[in-house]
Amino acid sequence: MAEMDNRNTHKVYEKEKLGEVQIADEVVAIIAGLAATEVEGVDSMAGNITNELVGKLGMKNLSKGVKVDVTEEHVSVDLSLNIKYGYKIPAVSEKVQDRVKTAIENMTGLMVLDVNVKIAGVNMNN
């Protein structure tokens, strides 16, 4: 539990005798990233140079390209995506927003205020 003390966490459940449930911001970001990559037309998450280097070194970073702002019971998500060539950006983005919102709300119980999608690139190699 010592590792959890260094990360931003939010209490989502507390029962007097059983204890509490806390969710780290990184967990919410991972949920968002995984949900986004499940949408047809999304090639990959886009990340900053540090994330790209981490990926090339073989370490997994499942929250790459995702920024979350979690308050007491609300979440705002910013996603940076690479899309596959030939897909309609507005349609894919709308599906990503719906999928991410549903996944976070179902898995955490937190209310998603907004899901902002940034298309960072297009992959021509389908």
Side-chain angles (χ1 to χ4, degrees), residues 13-27:
Y13 178 76
E14 184 172 17
K15 186 138 183 170
E16 290 176 20
K17 295 185 181 186
L18 292 177
E20 64 185 35
V21 175
Q22 293 184 348
I23 300 175
D25 288 359
E26 186 178 338
V27 172

Side-chain angles (χ1 to χ4, degrees), residues 65-76:
V66 183
K67 179 180 171 279
V68 295
D69 181 26
V70 184
T71 60
E72 288 301 315
E73 293 185 11
H74 299 96
V75 180
S76 291

